[in-house]
């Protein structure tokens, strides 16, 4: 069975949402609402490398902000 999310030689894009969470997405498949393209299209390996470099804090943006407010007070 063909799965567009598992094709190593296909082109992919990297998406990000308002919570600064990243997603690897096949080129040509419509991105879900609320997600913006920030990299690509490129091969899967390059997109994964981009995500690893950029997404260093896995916490959603809203949680990071809330935690900052607690520790700053």
């Amino acid at each position: 069975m063909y799965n567009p999310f598992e094709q190593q030689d296909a082109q992919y894009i990297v998406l990000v949402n308002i919570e600064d969470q990243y997603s690897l997405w096949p080129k040509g498949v419509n991105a879900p609402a609320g997600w913006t393209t920030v990299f690509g299209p490129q091969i899967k390996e390059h997109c994964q490398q981009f995500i690893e470099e950029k997404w260093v804090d896995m916490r959603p943006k809203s949680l990071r902000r809330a935690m900052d407010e607690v520790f700053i007070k």
Side-chain angles (χ1 to χ4, degrees):
M1 181 181 343
Y2 175 78
N3 181 345
F5 290 88
E6 296 299 328
Q7 306 303 310
Q8 291 298 326
D9 58 344
Q11 295 281 299
Y12 288 84
I13 57 174
V14 176
L15 305 175
V16 68
N17 66 15
I18 62 170
E19 289 287 348
D20 288 340
Q21 297 168 311
Y22 288 79
S23 180
L24 181 64
W25 209 254
K27 177 185 170 191
V29 176
N30 291 335
W35 292 80
T36 304
T37 301
V38 292
F39 182 80
Q42 283 287 332
I43 62 172
K44 189 173 189 176
E45 179 183 352
H46 291 168
C47 290
Q48 289 172 321
Q49 188 174 34
F50 177 86
I51 292 171
E52 288 175 14
E53 291 172 6
K54 299 294 182 184
W55 199 11
V56 294
D57 188 340
M58 302 293 270
R59 298 173 300 161
K61 183 191 294 187
S62 58
L63 177 60
R64 292 192 314 262
R65 286 182 179 165
M67 291 180 76
D68 286 348
E69 289 177 15
V70 169
F71 290 115
I72 290 174
K73 289 182 180 181

